[in-house]
Amino acid sequence: MDRIEKINEFLADNPNDNFLRHALALEYIKAGRDTEARVLFEAILAASPDYIGSYYHLAKLLEKLQETTLAIEWYEKGMAAAKTAGDNHSYNELMAAYEDLVY
């Protein structure tokens, strides 16, 4: 059984587990299934805007897909969420990626 199948098996029991959904989205990226990853990251952040790690990965994916304007928006949303959560590490990581893209 591959990792995607295994994570989906776990998600069958816990469909709203953001850790599992995030892990699945990362596996989708590894498998070249970018559209599925994007949909999953967007669903995670729509339901749980405080799930900070997904902002970075969604924005990076959007960069890869050459959707720069959207990537910038997601970095900005992520920085705001990280600041609200007091998560300085994530804020700095998002800011660095944002600055690399914008400047």
Side-chain angles (χ1 to χ4, degrees):
M1 178 179 297
D2 72 4
R3 295 178 78 124
I4 290 173
E5 290 173 4
K6 191 67 173 167
I7 294 169
N8 274 319
E9 191 176 279
F10 289 132
L11 278 169
D13 294 330
N14 299 299
N16 296 318
D17 185 313
N18 286 329
F19 178 81
L20 291 173
R21 296 185 329 154
H22 182 89
L24 180 59
L26 293 176
E27 290 300 323
Y28 282 154
I29 290 171
K30 288 180 192 174
R33 295 165 64 176
D34 294 341
T35 301
E36 290 166 281
R38 178 181 180 171
V39 168
L40 198 46
F41 282 134
E42 289 172 345
I44 291 167
L45 293 170
S48 302
D50 59 339
Y51 203 77
I52 308 298
S54 290
Y55 288 99
Y56 176 87
H57 292 284
L58 174 57
K60 275 294 180 194
L61 178 59
L62 290 167
E63 278 187 62
K64 177 182 169 187
L65 299 173
Q66 299 180 347
E67 294 192 40
T68 304
T69 302
L70 276 176
I72 290 168
E73 289 176 23
W74 281 106
Y75 281 130
E76 290 171 345
K77 289 177 187 178
M79 287 184 288
K83 189 177 249 186
T84 298
D87 185 345
N88 292 330
H89 176 77
S90 294
Y91 178 85
N92 291 334
E93 194 171 60
L94 287 157
M95 177 62 84
Y98 172 83
E99 287 177 347
D100 284 346
L101 180 59
V102 173
Y103 302 111

